[in-house]
Each structure stands twice: as structure tokens, then as C-alpha cells.
Amino acid sequence: MSEQHILSAFDRDIERIQAEIMKMGGLVEDAIRNAAKSLESRDVELADQVRAGDKAIDAMEERINEDTARLIALRAPTAGDLRLVLAVMKIAANLERIGDYAKNMAKRTRVLVDSPVVGDTASALRRMAMEVQRMLKDALDAYIQRDVELAEDVIERDKDIDQMYNALFRELLTFMMEDPRNITPAMHMHFIAKNTERMGDHVTNIAEQLIYVVTGERPGEDRPKADRTSTSKA
Amino acid sequence: MSEQHILSAFDRDIERIQAEIMKMGGLVEDAIRNAAKSLESRDVELADQVRAGDKAIDAMEERINEDTARLIALRAPTAGDLRLVLAVMKIAANLERIGDYAKNMAKRTRVLVDSPVVGDTASALRRMAMEVQRMLKDALDAYIQRDVELAEDVIERDKDIDQMYNALFRELLTFMMEDPRNITPAMHMHFIAKNTERMGDHVTNIAEQLIYVVTGERPGEDRPKADRTSTSKA
């Protein structure tokens, strides 16, 4: 009976923490969406909201870390339970980093607003960011529903993000070569694109954590990486 | 007596994990040094060594995570001990990321070797990376010796890294404006510079973990950030 009691106390604690994760995920989704919108519409006010909102995201990660530490100390989980607790911490860390990238995107909006518009690249970036936001939503849904298939789908879709990034990288290069006045804004756009591509990697990490929780195995680390710019001679 | 026994088992475990951390730190220091060297001397073979070596760094983080999870499950540490265990996990995660950035630098060396040389920027990058490597060495020494003063010194020195990055960013801009053929290699150099600046942030995180372990308080998050390029209109 005492075993039973310990188990359900653990379940209650982990469910509360998982609810915090979902709330944190919602804030991060908003941050991505609003950062991308502010970039395209050159809306400095919205960008400033995203920047200010990042503090709440950081505070949630801190709280989740404290709660998981307390849970570990109180319930001393082992095996699958411990794996779940560690996965929750990793997911919170990944969400925090995605939030940071959204904040950084918003920060650069403030700069870009005074620079020449570089073709349609801000719209391409918005599409890329919106896709990452949908992937994040699905990764969190997959986590809550323990849906390995959906998690695998998310991991697969990260290849599209990598391809969108590669295309945008080349497009930015042509704008820079065409007119030196495009160089500075295009470099900022490139950073934002790279950071968006990294958001996709962190969403992939979240999906992989779910697969690890359910199957006890880490998805192969040899999955193809489609960002070829670091080895591209453009 | 049983309390005494539990304490020393914990100490023995944590010391073994800390020894792994130091070993991992040594590998990461080598990776930074060799990646920077390979970039400056255009030594593709050395760059390939760095890339191959990253697998060992990742494997060490994995092992440290498993060992800390086992330690938590077995010893159920609380308060200061739990804080120490969580700090160790954070330090391993930061080391892994620094190793990733070094690998990425090495990856781009392979590309840059076929591109025009962009002024003396590869030497400036090597100096910046070497300073980060020294900061990392000091951060790990500070951790092992519980030397808060040295940790604070490391955090202070990260401002120099940020300044070096800002100077390099502007230098690269001028090369790009001067000659469009510099654009592609300069963009790669810029990525490497930004990643090196981020390595400095992760070294700072390590130093902050030590301060947290010793004092129980997180160093103020409001320390001045000296990377101004994300808000620079260059």
C-alpha cells in the first residue's frame, strides 16, 4: 500500500509539472508567432512585447526546475519515472532556448525597421517561423498524448525548415551582392533565419524526448541534417 | 552513523562525476584551441580531427547525465547536495554546447579554405577563441577549487569577448562592402565569430553555476551585455 501511495504522489506531482510545461509552451508559441509578425509588419510595439514577455518564460523554466528538483528529492523516482522527470527538465530547457531565439528576433526587428527592405525575405521568414510554431504545438501535443507517431512526424518536418533556411540563405546572398546597402539588413535577416532554423532543432529535441520517454531509446543521432550552408561554397 | 555513511557515499559519487566533468572540459578546451588553429592556418586535417572528436564529448555528457541520474536515485540528495548535482548537469550541458560550436567552427574551416582570405580576421578570431579557452580553463579551476573570486573574474572577462566580437563584426562589414567576393567567406567568418561569442556566454554560465553552488544565490541576471550588434544599425 505504501508503494501505491508513493506512486500516486509522484503521478500527481509530475502532472502538475507537465501542466506548467504546457503553459510555458503556449507562451513560447505566442513569442514565435508575434516575433515573426512584428518582423514582417515592422511593428516595433509588438516586438517590444515579445522582448518583455521573455522574462515570464525564463521564470517558468526556473520554477519547473525547482519543482522537478523537489520532486526528485521527495519521491526518489527510479527507472521510467526518473527518465520522465529528466525529460521534463530537458523540455523546459529547450523551450527556454526557443523563447530566447524569439526574443532575439524581436530585438532585431527594432533595427531592421530603419533599414531598407530586403525583397520578400521577411515574409519567407514569417512562413518559416509559423511552421516552427506549428511543429512546436504538435511536439507538445505528442508529448501530452504520448503519441510517438506524431513526434516522428515533427522530426521529419524539421527537414523542411532546414530547406527553407538554405533557400533563404542563398536569396540573402544575392541581395547582398546586388547592392552593398543590403548587406547590413541582410546579415540581420540571416541571423534571424539561422536562429529560426535552430528553433526547429530544439523542437526536434522535444519530440525526441517524448520518444525516449515512451520507448526508452534515443532516436538515432545520425538522422540527415539538411542545413548545408556550413559546408556550402555558395 | 548511517547518516555519516550516506554522506560519504554521496561525496564519493559526486567526486567521480566531477572528475568526468574535468576530463570533458579538457576535451572541449582542446577542441576550441584546435578549431581556432585550423581556421587560421587553413589546416583541414586538424579541422577534421575536431569534428571527429565531438562524438567523444557528446558521449561524455550522456555518461555524466546517466551517472547524475543514478546518484539522485540512489542517494536522494537534498538542499546543497541537490543544488550541486543539478549544477553538475548544467555544467555538462554547457560544455557540450561549447564543443558543438567548436565543431561548427571546424566544419566551416573546410569551406573557407577554398575562399579568399578576408584580411586578418582569421587571426582576430583565433585570439578571441584562445581567450575563451583560457576563460573556460579558469571557470573549471574555479569550480573545482570553489573559488568565487576567480569565477567572478571569468564573468567580467566575458565583456572583452563581446567587445572583440563587436569589432570583428564591423571589420567584416567593411570587407563585404569593399568587394562582393568577400561576402560569402565573411558571412562564414561572422557565424564563427558569433558562435565564439556564444561560447563565452556558456563559459559565463559555468562560472555562474559555481557561484550558485557556493553562495546559493544566482548572480544578477542584469549584468550588462556588450554585444550591441543585434541593436546596431552599423
Side-chain angles (χ1 to χ4, degrees):
Chain A
M1 281 309 275
S2 122
E3 180 79 353
Q4 180 69 34
H5 176 73
I6 290 168
L7 275 176
S8 59
F10 174 83
D11 287 347
R12 208 174 51 230
D13 287 354
I14 197 81
E15 265 177 31
R16 199 167 37 75
I17 295 173
Q18 283 181 162
E20 289 178 51
I21 289 273
M22 295 310 282
K23 204 174 140 194
M24 186 179 174
L27 292 182
V28 173
E29 277 184 53
D30 289 347
I32 300 173
R33 198 171 19 231
N34 289 332
K37 243 193 242 171
S38 76
L39 181 73
E40 189 184 29
S41 57
R42 305 196 149 212
D43 182 340
V44 172
E45 216 168 292
L46 187 59
D48 286 347
Q49 273 175 38
V50 174
R51 294 173 64 177
D54 192 55
K55 284 206 180 64
I57 293 171
D58 289 351
M60 288 210 74
E61 193 212 358
E62 192 78 4
R63 191 156 63 241
I64 289 167
N65 276 342
E66 282 164 14
D67 288 352
T68 45
R70 203 173 305 124
L71 182 151
I72 292 171
L74 276 175
R75 316 288 176 207
T78 54
D81 286 348
L82 183 58
R83 204 160 67 205
L84 180 57
V85 174
L86 295 175
V88 163
M89 289 178 83
K90 292 266 180 199
I91 292 174
N94 278 292
L95 285 175
E96 190 271 333
R97 290 200 58 86
I98 298 172
D100 257 10
Y101 286 131
K103 180 181 74 173
N104 195 279
M105 191 189 292
K107 236 162 109 181
R108 289 181 197 266
T109 291
R110 259 220 172 268
V111 185
L112 286 166
V113 91
D114 297 325
S115 307
V117 173
V118 187
D120 294 329
T121 54
S123 303
L125 256 169
R126 192 246 313 142
R127 282 191 292 276
M128 193 176 158
M130 291 304 187
E131 183 52 33
V132 169
Q133 180 255 310
R134 278 189 295 269
M135 281 169 58
L136 175 57
K137 190 183 172 309
D138 288 346
L140 292 171
D141 282 351
Y143 176 76
I144 285 298
Q145 293 154 21
R146 303 292 188 262
D147 184 340
V148 170
E149 216 169 297
L150 182 56
E152 280 168 349
D153 180 56
V154 168
I155 294 170
E156 186 64 28
R157 276 148 65 196
D158 191 42
K159 284 183 204 148
D160 291 332
I161 301 296
D162 292 344
Q163 283 170 4
M164 289 164 108
Y165 165 73
N166 288 332
L168 196 49
F169 174 73
R170 286 182 176 273
E171 198 183 344
L172 287 168
L173 275 182
T174 62
F175 281 112
M176 289 199 265
M177 287 172 181
E178 236 168 70
D179 185 347
R181 277 167 303 181
N182 283 328
I183 290 178
T184 301
M187 280 184 85
H188 285 294
M189 293 297 275
H190 182 211
F191 253 114
I192 295 171
K194 185 69 194 172
N195 285 345
T196 307
E197 187 261 333
R198 283 197 184 112
M199 285 185 197
D201 292 342
H202 287 285
V203 173
T204 297
N205 287 348
I206 292 173
E208 288 177 348
Q209 288 297 330
L210 176 265
I211 295 174
Y212 178 57
V213 163
V214 174
T215 68
E217 276 172 32
R218 301 216 171 271
E221 285 207 286
D222 295 331
R223 73 195 168 82
K225 265 299 289 177
D227 168 9
R228 288 178 306 267
T229 64
S230 65
T231 50
S232 137
K233 287 156 196 185
Chain B
M1 283 310 275
S2 124
E3 180 78 356
Q4 181 68 33
H5 176 71
I6 290 168
L7 275 174
S8 58
F10 174 83
D11 288 345
R12 208 175 50 231
D13 286 354
I14 197 79
E15 263 177 32
R16 198 169 36 77
I17 296 172
Q18 284 180 161
E20 288 178 52
I21 288 274
M22 295 310 282
K23 203 174 142 194
M24 185 180 176
L27 292 181
V28 173
E29 277 184 53
D30 288 347
I32 301 173
R33 198 173 14 232
N34 288 332
K37 243 192 242 171
S38 77
L39 180 74
E40 189 183 28
S41 57
R42 305 194 149 213
D43 182 340
V44 173
E45 215 168 292
L46 187 58
D48 286 346
Q49 274 176 37
V50 173
R51 293 173 67 176
D54 192 54
K55 283 206 181 64
I57 293 172
D58 289 352
M60 288 210 73
E61 193 212 356
E62 192 78 5
R63 191 155 66 241
I64 289 167
N65 275 342
E66 282 164 13
D67 288 352
T68 45
R70 203 173 305 125
L71 182 150
I72 291 171
L74 275 175
R75 315 289 176 205
T78 54
D81 285 349
L82 183 58
R83 206 160 66 206
L84 180 57
V85 174
L86 295 175
V88 162
M89 289 177 81
K90 292 266 178 195
I91 291 174
N94 277 291
L95 285 175
E96 190 271 334
R97 290 200 59 86
I98 298 172
D100 258 10
Y101 286 130
K103 179 182 74 173
N104 195 279
M105 191 190 293
K107 236 163 110 181
R108 288 180 197 266
T109 292
R110 259 218 172 270
V111 185
L112 284 167
V113 91
D114 296 325
S115 308
V117 174
V118 188
D120 294 329
T121 54
S123 303
L125 257 169
R126 192 248 310 142
R127 280 191 294 275
M128 195 176 156
M130 291 303 187
E131 182 52 33
V132 169
Q133 180 255 313
R134 277 190 295 270
M135 280 168 59
L136 175 57
K137 190 183 173 308
D138 289 345
L140 292 171
D141 282 351
Y143 176 77
I144 287 298
Q145 293 154 22
R146 304 291 189 261
D147 184 339
V148 171
E149 215 168 300
L150 183 55
E152 281 168 348
D153 179 56
V154 168
I155 294 170
E156 186 63 28
R157 274 148 65 196
D158 190 42
K159 285 183 204 148
D160 291 332
I161 302 297
D162 292 344
Q163 284 170 4
M164 288 164 108
Y165 165 73
N166 288 331
L168 197 48
F169 174 74
R170 287 182 174 271
E171 200 183 343
L172 288 167
L173 276 182
T174 63
F175 281 111
M176 289 201 264
M177 288 172 183
E178 238 168 69
D179 184 347
R181 279 169 300 181
N182 283 328
I183 289 179
T184 301
M187 280 184 85
H188 285 294
M189 292 297 275
H190 182 210
F191 252 114
I192 296 172
K194 185 68 192 172
N195 285 344
T196 308
E197 188 261 333
R198 285 197 183 111
M199 285 185 196
D201 292 342
H202 287 285
V203 173
T204 297
N205 287 348
I206 293 174
E208 287 177 349
Q209 288 297 331
L210 177 266
I211 294 174
Y212 178 58
V213 164
V214 174
T215 67
E217 278 173 29
R218 300 215 174 271
E221 284 205 288
D222 297 328
R223 73 193 169 81
K225 266 298 289 177
D227 168 7
R228 288 179 306 267
T229 63
S230 66
T231 51
S232 135
K233 286 156 198 185

